[in-house]
Amino acid sequence: MKKIARRLFLSCILPISTCSLFAQPGDEVIIIPDHAITKTAGNEVISFILKIKNQRKNAIDGTLNCLLPEKGLSLITRQGIRVTIPATDSIFVPVKIYAPSKIRAGKEYIVRFSLKEQSSGQILSEGHCSVMMNTKRSVSLYALSTAIQLENNSDSLIIPVRVVNNGNTAENVTVISSLPYTTGGDAFYATRQFNIAAFSDTLVYFRKRVTRRMLQAEGFDASIKGFYTNGELFGVSGIKIQSPRVVRRFNESEYQDSFNGNYLSLSAENTLNPYKSYVLGAYGSALTEGGKFTYSLNATTWRNSGNTPLLRNTWINYQTATVGLKAGNIDKSAEINLNGRGASFFISDSLHTNTIEAGYVEKNYNLIGISNKGRLAPGNAGWLSFSHNKEKFRLNSSLMYDNSPYTYSKSILSSNTAIYQVRGKFRMSASLHGAYSDYSLINERSKISAAGDILVNGRIKKFEFSSSNFLSLPSYPGMRKGTTSLSERVNWMSGSFSVWGNLNYNRFAPQYPSNNTFSPRYENLKTEMGISGPISQGVTLSFAPAYAQDKSNSYFVGNENTASSLKSWNLNTTLNCVISSNQYISLNSESGIYRSSYSPGMKYHLKTNLNYRYKELGIFSSFQKGAFYFGELVNAYSMNKNDYTMLSIGPSIQKDLFHKKCMVTASASYIRSNISGSSLAANSRVEYDVLKHTRLFAGLAYNRLSYNNDHYQTNNLQLGLVQKLPTPGIALKTNVLDVFLYKDVNQNNTYDAGDSIAVNQPLLINQIMFLTGKDGNIHYKNLPAETYTISTPYLKGWYAADSRIYLNKDTRTEIALQKTGALRGQITLSFSELSFEIPRSKAGVVITVTDKEGRSYNTKTNEDGEFSFYLPAGKFTASINPENLRAEIDCLNCQQYVDVSPEKSTTVSFVLKVRNRKLETKKFKSPGLK
């Protein structure tokens, strides 16, 4: 028993564990999972096979149970499977577990199995295997304003920054704002450290008193950088802060932070554990005369462990305007998602209208050694793609080869997608995918399969509609294997109120090779109607009644599959209240009645989430009574619970110390469930700037899980250092640019009689600010040869389109200002219960307006999703580029036609629909199974 306890303890604390069997090799009954550890990206069904070997001379009649020790994973397979094993024989039992996207990344989840004799209740054998959620780190930041003008009467400088976490794990991040020495005295560094939850965003403000040297300087850059706890850079944003000038001399060192995101970090994790790890991270880039060189390094090694050092997110990249080459860890997202070690390159024209890309990877996430030692070969893959991008038409074609030992197949997949913007505010896209799969490794016939989708969206007056439809054959080798997905939505908007209705149908019925013992089937239907809008200033409310129906064959009663079903009638309610600029509260709930195949009659269920924020203090809480998903139903049924209940609550806080050189953050959470017991987690972190570019940090994470009479506890102490590195400067040949501005009163784009000189007109050249003199001219000297964008901010009803000039000699140009009209609008996010979990921020979406000559105007939405343009009179196309949106979002009316009149206001709106989640199934097979 000591040996068993030691194995159980190690399986809970090691980052990577191996499968251990409670039954020893000499035992008469042995449970052998086909995989010791399975990694998942979340939101998918995991399938594996248990081999139960009976070495007795008599048959066994028993009951197999599966135990999930904590909240996170959900058991799909029926508990209490009756098994009969003949003497000296073996049977194979499929087990299915659902891993949602919300489970904690990087943590090992132990799945335990026990076989009890039916007559005596004696435990005949026990075993376990592990499931780990792959960590997806995806934090980004951007400044709400990229150019700030300092007037002589300015007394303070305020820089707002939006930080967005699109990853699947909460992150402790550090955001740093820095100003150069030209601001007066020592360089100014302000640090904000905080914890940002998965799929959320927050707004950070940096404030600095304006000094005389700031006003006297021609201009300087404020640099905003974001770092993970290990020092890895996740985002950089620059803001031009300047006083307008008539004449400027370009000085690269004056406008660039020489420490532009390059860094080196070293940290130690699990320092209280004999199996501590050491992490080395680095990132850097350097400009060359013809392009840019970039590199990334992330290396991890373990003490007292036989594991191979891990080298991931490590690559080198060189890119020019038309050619790029990358080697190291490669990721490719397509119909088959590929990642591994290899190389890729692209070649394109100067405008990136036509691009060819090719690459090859060995599907091994460790750049050195073998990441799946002792298992099947990792396989390999390659691809060749072509893309054509025009304003109204886009075409993407690719050819992909995938050698997958895990599925015993070699596949060739061809994908073609065409997107066309139809006049009249309609957008259409169609995709067709064909595949050939070779199963000769298991002596099966090759298969030809196909998949395709059609998407249509548009707007007719106040009505918006969208239709998204996908179909694939059961043997299709892509991620959406054997899938039928139909999503239809209609939305009506009147002012700030919105009424919508949608219908979603999803069917999952893949076909696997004959050596698979189980083929899953899943079907879901949901329909919803809703209304949302403001009920008072700062308060919005939405109601959405919904009906949902789920069916699945992935649940077992005894040794046979049963048809499981779940029907529910719910009301979804969301209330958001902005109390002040630094205080808000949000409440959403889902409640109703449901009927399932696991209990007779109708039952009531309720799920609520409450979030409150005041300055640095945040509090969250969640309560659930009753089941909403199959996994919750199965767990409650298998443990003889009348209902599923869960309560969670937790605070978070951050504080600056020692004149903001030190930042302390802390958070805690408590979760209690009648199924998985209770858990307590606490995290704290301290960062201190010991030197101008050197930071020390320490973090402590505490976790304690209690289930029945068992307790599991882990502690992780992390220590590290981050050193920022300079970027070398570049000397380039220089030129002179002169710009003349005038008011084109007669709108003929020529300076002639009746026109007037634009005096004291602001002008931006690559975001460097000028102010025209009495003659309407500005003079910019010492410019390197490159493309420059000239912008004229809206001023007293006069405006001009941005213009681009490639400067390789001294140049003079004239810009005509024209009388403008206003184009205002907003974006709306459309969600459903099955939608992906993404931040609901409406800020930072790029809106483009194009005139009939092809000239483009761009802006970004604010926090409320609002945007505005001041445009010359004429006909325009307002659009959102879908490629700039998250992969989970479809724009229902991405291109609309508008007519702008002088000194009048025109309105337009866009609807961004968040796609529904698709359940994906992984089938894991062991070559040792007979």
Side-chain angles (χ1 to χ4, degrees), residues 42-346:
N43 195 36
E44 60 184 352
V45 176
I46 302 172
S47 301
F48 47 91
I49 305 296
L50 298 182
K51 179 180 180 180
I52 306 178
K53 186 176 183 180
N54 179 16
Q55 301 183 103
R56 293 183 174 181
K57 296 183 179 180
N58 59 290
I60 293 176
D61 184 16
T63 302
L64 178 68
N65 286 289
C66 177
L67 177 63
L68 306 178
E70 60 180 281
K71 183 178 179 180
L73 303 176
S74 299
L75 182 65
I76 297 178
T77 304
R78 173 75 167 85
Q79 282 282 22
I81 301 175
R82 289 288 299 275
V83 296
T84 300
I85 313 173
T88 64
D89 201 353
S90 300
I91 65 169
F92 299 88
V93 180
V95 177
K96 306 182 78 59
I97 291 174
Y98 174 66
S101 59
K102 285 188 175 181
I103 66 174
R104 283 183 294 170
K107 178 177 176 59
E108 186 177 15
Y109 292 82
I110 308 299
V111 182
R112 296 180 172 83
F113 313 98
S114 66
L115 178 65
K116 292 184 179 180
E117 191 172 30
Q118 188 65 25
S119 58
S120 65
Q122 177 186 359
I123 295 179
L124 301 176
S125 182
E126 293 181 313
H128 75 259
C129 62
S130 303
V131 174
M132 289 189 69
M133 178 78 164
N134 291 328
T135 299
K136 177 187 176 183
R137 307 185 78 179
S138 181
V139 181
S140 60
L141 62 81
Y142 62 90
L144 297 188
S145 176
T146 58
I148 298 176
Q149 179 177 339
L150 284 181
E151 301 291 351
N152 289 331
N153 58 355
S154 299
D155 59 357
S156 63
L157 173 64
I158 301 176
I159 303 174
V161 179
R162 175 75 64 183
V163 181
V164 182
N165 184 6
N166 293 324
N168 60 7
T169 179
E171 297 282 1
N172 289 319
V173 297
T174 299
V175 180
I176 302 173
S177 169
S178 61
L179 302 181
Y181 286 103
T182 54
T183 61
D186 294 336
F188 167 60
Y189 282 84
T191 303
R192 299 288 185 272
Q193 294 178 311
F194 52 92
N195 181 277
I196 182 169
F199 309 107
S200 67
D201 62 277
T202 187
L203 192 61
V204 180
Y205 290 94
F206 293 94
R207 291 176 172 85
K208 172 66 175 177
R209 182 177 62 85
V210 174
T211 65
R212 179 176 298 180
R213 291 190 63 183
M214 286 185 186
L215 296 174
Q216 292 175 345
E218 288 197 356
F220 52 89
D221 280 356
S223 176
I224 309 297
K225 301 176 191 143
F227 294 89
Y228 292 110
T229 55
N230 64 352
E232 179 183 352
L233 180 75
F234 64 72
V236 177
S237 184
I239 302 98
K240 299 289 184 183
I241 302 169
Q242 49 203 310
S243 299
R245 296 287 192 274
V246 175
V247 178
R248 287 188 186 275
R249 175 181 291 274
F250 181 84
N251 186 345
E252 190 166 5
S253 62
E254 183 176 3
Y255 295 106
Q256 289 189 352
D257 181 359
S258 61
F259 292 80
N260 189 22
N262 293 3
Y263 75 93
L264 175 68
S265 71
L266 178 64
S267 63
E269 299 184 6
N270 289 308
T271 56
L272 301 178
N273 191 306
Y275 300 95
K276 61 175 65 71
S277 62
Y278 303 95
V279 181
L280 174 65
Y283 177 87
S285 62
L287 296 175
T288 67
E289 189 69 30
K292 183 178 182 180
F293 173 79
T294 312
Y295 67 89
S296 175
L297 171 67
N298 190 304
T300 304
T301 185
W302 290 266
R303 186 178 180 183
N304 299 326
S305 172
N307 293 324
T308 303
L310 176 62
L311 205 61
R312 60 184 177 86
N313 193 27
T314 299
W315 44 262
I316 56 174
N317 182 52
Y318 181 73
Q319 183 172 327
T320 68
T322 58
V323 177
L325 176 64
K326 184 177 182 180
N329 292 119
I330 304 294
D331 292 305
K332 176 66 176 178
S333 296
E335 280 299 298
I336 301 176
N337 280 340
L338 304 176
N339 64 82
R341 53 193 184 191
S344 65
F345 79 92
F346 78 85

Side-chain angles (χ1 to χ4, degrees), residues 332-386:
K332 176 66 176 178
S333 296
E335 280 299 298
I336 301 176
N337 280 340
L338 304 176
N339 64 82
R341 53 193 184 191
S344 65
F345 79 92
F346 78 85
I347 182 170
S348 70
D349 54 47
S350 58
L351 297 179
H352 287 260
T353 302
N354 299 294
T355 303
I356 296 175
E357 180 186 356
Y360 170 84
V361 295
E362 180 189 51
K363 292 188 285 186
N364 191 329
Y365 61 85
N366 191 358
L367 198 58
I368 59 175
I370 301 176
S371 58
N372 58 347
K373 188 175 181 180
R375 296 167 62 181
L376 294 176
N380 50 49
W383 71 91
L384 175 66
S385 65
F386 168 77

Side-chain angles (χ1 to χ4, degrees), residues 503-506 523-527 547-550:
L503 173 68
N504 295 281
Y505 173 78
N506 295 279
E523 188 174 355
N524 167 264
L525 171 67
K526 181 180 180 181
T527 182
Y547 166 77
Q549 176 177 301
D550 295 87

Side-chain angles (χ1 to χ4, degrees), residues 16 91 268 301 321 352 423 453 530 557 796 832 872:
I16 300 178
I91 65 169
T301 185
H352 287 260
R423 295 189 63 183
D453 61 32
V557 175
K796 297 181 180 179
S832 70

